[in-house]
Amino acid sequence: MYIIPAIDILDGKVVRLTEGDYNQKTVYDVSIAEMIETYRSNGTEFIHIIDLNGAKGDFSNQKALFEVIKKTDMRVQYGGGIRTIKQVTDLLDAGIHRVIVGTQAITNPDFLQELSKEVGKKYDYANRIVIAIDVLDEVIKYSGWMESSPIKLMDYVDKCLQLGFFRFLCTDINKDGKLGGAAVELYKKLLEHSPFIKLIASGGVSSMKDIEELDKYDIRSVVVGKAIYENRITIDQIKEWNLKQMTSL
C-alpha cells in the first residue's frame, strides 16, 4: 500500500476541509507550487490534487492550477469538476497519471458507459480512471459532498465494475479532516463485496499507526492530507514507507 500526499485547492489556496464542509476549512500558508516542490524534492513521485472549486462547478482555479501541474514531472492523480468525456481524455492525453470522476458519473446515467467506450480505445486508460465514492453513513454524496444519491453503495460499485472500471477512491466523509482514524470497517465491506477492486482509501488518517492498520487489508494506496500539514506524519516517514513498499514487490 502506497501513501499519496494530498493537495486540496480552494480559491487558489491550499486548504483542508472538515467533513467536506466548505465553511470548516483550514487554510495553509503555502502555495500549490511550493507544496508540489516540497514533495518532489523529498523523493515523492505521486501526488493527489483536488480542485474544490471545480467540484462545485466553479472553474476559476483551473488555469493557474494546470500551469503548475504542467511544470512538474510527478505523477498526478487529479479530480474536481470533471464533467465531460473530452475533459477526461484530454487530461490523460496531456499526461495526468490518473483522472478522478465523481459527480458526473453519478448524475448522468450514460456518462460511465460512454466513458467506457472511449477509454477502451487506448491501452491502459481504464486503469488510469479513478471512480470517486464519497460516503456519509453509506450514502453516496456528490457535488462537493452537498448532494445525496439514491444509488446504493454496492450497486454503484457493481455498475462500475460491469463497465470495466475497477479503481475506486473511497472517502468516508464522517472521517475526513478530523484526524480520528480511517474508515477501516467501510473498506472491509467494500473489499468483501468486491475483492478484486483497486481501492484507494481517503479520510481520517492521523498517524503511521493508521497507515499500518490499513495495510492489513488489500488496499492499494491511501491519500493523506491533514496529517501531513499538522505534522502528524512527516514527509520522511512517507518516503521511507513507500520505498519499503517498492522493495517488497
Side-chain angles (χ1 to χ4, degrees):
M1 184 183 74
Y2 292 86
I3 301 172
I4 308 176
I7 305 176
D8 288 355
I9 309 301
L10 182 65
D11 301 331
K13 300 181 184 300
V14 177
V15 306
R16 291 298 293 170
L17 305 182
T18 299
E19 296 185 44
D21 186 347
Y22 283 68
N23 294 315
Q24 294 188 62
K25 66 177 183 289
T26 303
V27 181
Y28 296 95
D29 187 22
V30 61
S31 72
I32 307 163
E34 287 169 341
M35 280 306 307
I36 290 175
E37 177 57 25
T38 296
Y39 291 132
R40 189 202 63 79
S41 62
N42 284 277
T44 302
E45 298 179 349
F46 208 143
I47 52 172
H48 172 91
I49 298 178
I50 297 296
D51 178 0
L52 292 171
N53 291 89
K56 298 193 298 179
D58 167 13
F59 305 112
S60 56
N61 284 330
Q62 286 194 351
K63 183 177 179 181
L65 185 54
F66 281 116
E67 286 300 316
V68 174
I69 291 174
K70 282 193 297 186
K71 294 176 182 177
T72 182
D73 57 358
M74 295 179 70
R75 290 184 293 173
V76 175
Q77 179 170 282
Y78 175 82
I82 308 299
R83 298 289 187 265
T84 68
I85 305 295
K86 188 175 187 303
Q87 275 182 296
V88 176
T89 55
D90 283 353
L91 288 168
L92 293 174
D93 289 342
I96 295 294
H97 187 68
R98 291 182 191 156
V99 175
I100 303 166
V101 295
T103 295
Q104 193 70 6
I106 294 168
T107 59
N108 181 347
D110 299 322
F111 181 81
L112 286 179
Q113 187 167 3
E114 293 171 6
L115 182 60
S116 178
K117 291 177 182 177
E118 189 63 33
V119 300
K121 298 174 184 177
K122 295 196 176 182
Y123 172 73
D124 203 41
Y125 269 26
N127 189 41
R128 293 167 60 194
I129 302 291
V130 179
I131 306 296
I133 308 178
D134 301 324
V135 180
L136 182 63
D137 300 326
E138 296 200 20
V139 174
I140 298 174
K141 307 287 280 188
Y142 62 94
S143 291
W145 300 349
M146 295 183 292
E147 304 290 338
S148 300
S149 170
I151 305 171
K152 292 185 182 300
L153 176 59
M154 299 309 174
D155 290 346
Y156 185 59
V157 170
D158 290 343
K159 174 185 175 181
C160 294
L161 288 170
Q162 288 166 7
L163 291 170
F165 300 107
F166 47 82
R167 193 179 294 277
F168 295 88
L169 169 69
C170 185
T171 303
D172 186 330
I173 298 170
N174 277 323
K175 300 282 188 180
D176 192 69
K178 296 172 75 173
L179 299 173
V184 174
E185 292 304 313
L186 174 61
Y187 303 139
K188 285 170 63 177
K189 285 183 182 180
L190 283 167
L191 290 167
E192 286 168 3
H193 179 77
S194 302
F196 303 111
I197 64 174
K198 294 186 178 182
L199 183 59
I200 305 167
S202 174
V205 171
S206 64
S207 67
M208 291 305 295
K209 285 186 178 179
D210 291 331
I211 299 292
E212 291 164 3
E213 180 65 22
L214 288 170
D215 194 44
K216 295 176 182 177
Y217 307 95
D218 192 21
I219 297 170
R220 299 305 181 96
S221 53
V222 55
V223 172
V224 179
K226 195 169 187 176
I228 298 171
Y229 297 110
E230 302 293 330
N231 297 312
R232 305 284 191 95
I233 295 176
T234 69
I235 295 175
D236 283 342
Q237 286 176 311
I238 293 172
K239 181 179 179 179
E240 181 181 358
W241 176 276
N242 284 344
L243 281 172
K244 285 180 179 178
Q245 298 301 306
M246 291 176 66
T247 56
S248 66
L249 292 176

